[in-house]
Each structure stands twice: as structure tokens, then as C-alpha cells.
Amino acid sequence: MILTVVGCAGSVPGPDAACSCYLLEHDGFRLLLDLGTGALGPLQRFADPCAIDAVVLSHRHRDHCSDLMLLAYLRDRRGAPGRLPVIAPAGTQAHVTDPTPRDYERVLDWRDPPAAPFRLGPLTIETAPVRHSVPALAVRVTAGAASLTYSGDTGECTELLDLARGTGVLLCEAAASVETPGSGAAHLTPSQAAHLAKSAGAAHLVLTHLRPWADPMAALREARGVYGGPLSLAAPGLRVAV
């Protein structure tokens, strides 16, 4: 399984990065985790948008989902076959599609996340509710012995820790790396992300969702003070073998 970071900026796009979007590929299957503001453009450097097989949205905030309807438009205009499965927290569809013309919705197959692990192509998907300002999910993707856990946006919670136990790669947000009103209740600091990786026994921590005005090197140093394993900073085009 290969992870490609398409976009990794938190809240708004930065000068060099779109908002959250991560491509997972395994045995020819292409899964997107989130598709935030500005991500559809750089996605086309790494995959044909009509060849995406499924999307999992962590929650309805625009920096995680706004380009989904642009993807639907593109697939509709290019005649992509079939409907694209979109797994998202209940109620997300109404927020994402409004006020988009209903014609584009025929391209998407919206699904609530099942309570039990489920299959998408060769991948096994497991989700857990996490602590955020709106209903939000963390996602664990497994293929054979390989696994990746994506935090989405969250404050500290036992649900994320349990989901991430023993994961190969922990792709974890650290948006609370800078002082932002209210961020502590809904986002992690780099130190908290590192404590999570250490407690879960994650083999590799990838920090992501840093706001464009954050100091990425300071975030990396903060996490390194806690977590001694392989540690990376997400950047567009970063590829990680899971």
C-alpha cells in the first residue's frame, strides 16, 4: 500500500499546499482520504480523477471536502463509468452538496460508515468517531499486514487511540501547533500527536494538517521530543510505503 500526500494544509490552502487530501493505492485500487480546498488540481498529478475508486471523508468542513463536488463535475463531464462510493459521517451529504446542482450528485454514491469493518476493493476500512466541532471520523485502512490510520480532525480521545493501536503509519493532524481560538478542544498539538503514536505503538508518524502560518520545523521538533520512531512531515508529493 502506498500513501501519496496530495494536500496537507490545515484550514486554508497555503502557498505550496492544498488542503487535506491523501491518496492510498493498493493492487490497482485508488482510495482518497478527504478532498479539501484546492486539492483536485494537484490530485491530477498523481492519478486520473476518473480512476479514483472510492472516497472517505473524515467530516464536512470545507478544508476536507470542498473539492468533492468539483471531482463529481469532472467525472460527469468526462463520462466516468459508474457511481463513486463516498463514505462520510451521517448528514455530511447535505452540507457538501448544497447548493450544488443535483445533476452532479448522480455521480456519487453516498454511504454512512458501517459500524463494523468493511471492504472497499482490496482494502479493509474501519472508522471511529472522534472529538471535533462537528461529527467526524478517524479511518484505519488495512491491506494484508499493512495498515494506515488517519486521524482526520480531532482532539484527544480514546477512540482514536484504540483505532490506531499497532498501525504501520499514523497520519495525524497537528493543527493546534499554533494558538488559534478554540483549537485545543478540536485539534491536536504535535506533542499530543507524538504521544498518541507512542501510546498506540505506531511504526511511523506523519504529521499533517499544519496551518499555513505554523512553523513546520517547530512542529517536527516538538513531536521528536516525545516520539522516537520514524517521523515525517507531510508535504505535497510525499510518498510513503505503508
Short mmCIF file of all heavy atoms in Angstrom, two decimals, residues 3 13 18 76 82 88 114 165 183 185 194 202 204 213 224 236:
data_model
loop_
_atom_site.label_atom_id
_atom_site.label_comp_id
_atom_site.label_asym_id
_atom_site.label_seq_id
_atom_site.Cartn_x
_atom_site.Cartn_y
_atom_site.Cartn_z
N LEU A 3 1.00 5.47 0.22
CA LEU A 3 0.37 6.74 0.55
C LEU A 3 1.05 7.85 -0.24
O LEU A 3 2.28 7.95 -0.25
CB LEU A 3 0.52 7.03 2.05
CG LEU A 3 0.28 8.48 2.49
CD1 LEU A 3 -1.20 8.84 2.36
CD2 LEU A 3 0.77 8.68 3.93
N PRO A 13 -5.77 26.67 2.12
CA PRO A 13 -4.57 26.29 1.37
C PRO A 13 -3.41 27.22 1.68
O PRO A 13 -3.61 28.40 1.99
CB PRO A 13 -5.00 26.43 -0.10
CG PRO A 13 -6.49 26.43 -0.07
CD PRO A 13 -6.89 27.03 1.23
N ALA A 18 -2.31 22.45 -1.07
CA ALA A 18 -3.76 22.44 -0.95
C ALA A 18 -4.15 21.90 0.42
O ALA A 18 -3.29 21.44 1.19
CB ALA A 18 -4.36 21.56 -2.06
N ASP A 76 -18.44 13.62 -14.24
CA ASP A 76 -19.67 13.69 -15.03
C ASP A 76 -19.37 14.14 -16.45
O ASP A 76 -19.84 13.55 -17.43
CB ASP A 76 -20.65 14.64 -14.35
CG ASP A 76 -21.96 14.76 -15.10
OD1 ASP A 76 -22.65 13.75 -15.24
OD2 ASP A 76 -22.27 15.88 -15.56
N GLY A 82 -19.96 4.36 -13.84
CA GLY A 82 -20.39 4.01 -12.50
C GLY A 82 -20.45 5.21 -11.56
O GLY A 82 -20.05 6.32 -11.90
N ALA A 88 -18.97 8.80 4.51
CA ALA A 88 -18.83 10.02 5.30
C ALA A 88 -19.78 9.95 6.49
O ALA A 88 -20.77 9.20 6.47
CB ALA A 88 -19.16 11.24 4.44
N PRO A 114 -20.34 1.90 7.98
CA PRO A 114 -20.85 0.79 8.78
C PRO A 114 -20.20 0.74 10.16
O PRO A 114 -19.08 1.23 10.35
CB PRO A 114 -20.47 -0.45 7.96
CG PRO A 114 -20.24 0.06 6.57
CD PRO A 114 -19.69 1.45 6.75
N ARG A 165 -3.97 1.51 17.40
CA ARG A 165 -3.05 0.57 18.05
C ARG A 165 -2.39 -0.35 17.03
O ARG A 165 -3.05 -1.02 16.24
CB ARG A 165 -3.77 -0.25 19.11
CG ARG A 165 -4.19 0.57 20.33
CD ARG A 165 -4.68 -0.31 21.47
NE ARG A 165 -5.24 0.48 22.54
CZ ARG A 165 -4.54 1.11 23.48
NH1 ARG A 165 -3.22 1.04 23.45
NH2 ARG A 165 -5.15 1.82 24.43
N SER A 183 -9.01 25.94 19.24
CA SER A 183 -8.38 24.79 18.57
C SER A 183 -8.06 23.66 19.53
O SER A 183 -8.05 22.50 19.14
CB SER A 183 -7.11 25.23 17.84
OG SER A 183 -6.13 25.66 18.76
N ALA A 185 -9.71 22.21 21.81
CA ALA A 185 -10.78 21.24 22.04
C ALA A 185 -11.04 20.36 20.83
O ALA A 185 -11.70 19.33 20.94
CB ALA A 185 -12.06 21.97 22.42
N ALA A 194 2.37 13.02 18.88
CA ALA A 194 3.50 12.15 19.17
C ALA A 194 3.20 11.22 20.33
O ALA A 194 3.56 10.03 20.31
CB ALA A 194 4.73 13.00 19.48
N ALA A 202 2.57 3.01 17.07
CA ALA A 202 2.62 3.23 15.62
C ALA A 202 4.06 3.14 15.14
O ALA A 202 4.98 3.64 15.78
CB ALA A 202 2.03 4.60 15.28
N HIS A 204 5.31 4.49 12.33
CA HIS A 204 5.77 5.68 11.60
C HIS A 204 4.72 6.77 11.80
O HIS A 204 3.54 6.56 11.55
CB HIS A 204 5.92 5.35 10.11
CG HIS A 204 6.47 6.46 9.27
ND1 HIS A 204 6.73 6.29 7.93
CD2 HIS A 204 6.79 7.75 9.55
CE1 HIS A 204 7.20 7.43 7.43
NE2 HIS A 204 7.23 8.33 8.39
N TRP A 213 0.31 29.28 8.54
CA TRP A 213 1.11 30.21 9.33
C TRP A 213 1.87 29.52 10.47
O TRP A 213 2.50 30.18 11.28
CB TRP A 213 0.22 31.33 9.87
CG TRP A 213 -0.97 30.89 10.68
CD1 TRP A 213 -1.03 30.77 12.05
CD2 TRP A 213 -2.26 30.53 10.20
NE1 TRP A 213 -2.28 30.35 12.43
CE2 TRP A 213 -3.07 30.20 11.31
CE3 TRP A 213 -2.83 30.46 8.92
CZ2 TRP A 213 -4.40 29.81 11.21
CZ3 TRP A 213 -4.16 30.07 8.81
CH2 TRP A 213 -4.93 29.75 9.93
N ARG A 224 9.37 15.29 17.94
CA ARG A 224 10.56 14.49 18.13
C ARG A 224 10.94 14.39 19.61
O ARG A 224 11.52 13.39 20.04
CB ARG A 224 11.72 15.09 17.32
CG ARG A 224 13.07 14.43 17.53
CD ARG A 224 13.05 12.92 17.26
NE ARG A 224 12.82 12.62 15.85
CZ ARG A 224 12.27 11.49 15.41
NH1 ARG A 224 11.85 10.56 16.28
NH2 ARG A 224 12.11 11.27 14.13
N PRO A 236 3.19 18.05 -0.04
CA PRO A 236 2.64 17.58 -1.31
C PRO A 236 3.67 16.75 -2.09
O PRO A 236 4.81 17.14 -2.24
CB PRO A 236 2.31 18.89 -2.05
CG PRO A 236 2.04 19.86 -0.96
CD PRO A 236 3.03 19.51 0.12
#
